[in-house]
Amino acid sequence: MENNWINEKGMLIKTFTFSNFVEAVDFVNKIVPLAEKVGHHPDIEIFSYKNVKIKLTTHDKGDMVTEKDTELAKEIDKI
């Protein structure tokens, strides 16, 4: 997957780094409507106050990466 997404153990994973906590939370809040729209929800972790790790996998397909994941990853990259 392009744009630094890593395909690891049946998940697409990417960490985004922001200037501060507020920017990190704002980014997460922008993901929410995208995920709701397509009914596909990532695992999201905010750590060290300004880093956001996103993990995408399709649970109902046996925890594997599917087109749902790659499409949502592309939309997240546009934020």
Side-chain angles (χ1 to χ4, degrees), residues 37-48:
K37 180 180 177 182
V38 297
H40 192 58
H41 304 97
D43 291 338
I44 300 173
E45 174 186 356
I46 298 175
F47 64 99
S48 297

Side-chain angles (χ1 to χ4, degrees), residues 54-73:
I54 307 294
K55 296 180 183 179
L56 297 166
T57 191
T58 303
H59 298 291
D60 61 354
K61 295 292 182 184
D63 294 327
M64 60 183 286
V65 174
T66 66
E67 187 175 344
K68 281 183 167 182
D69 303 300
T70 57
E71 290 303 313
L72 186 53

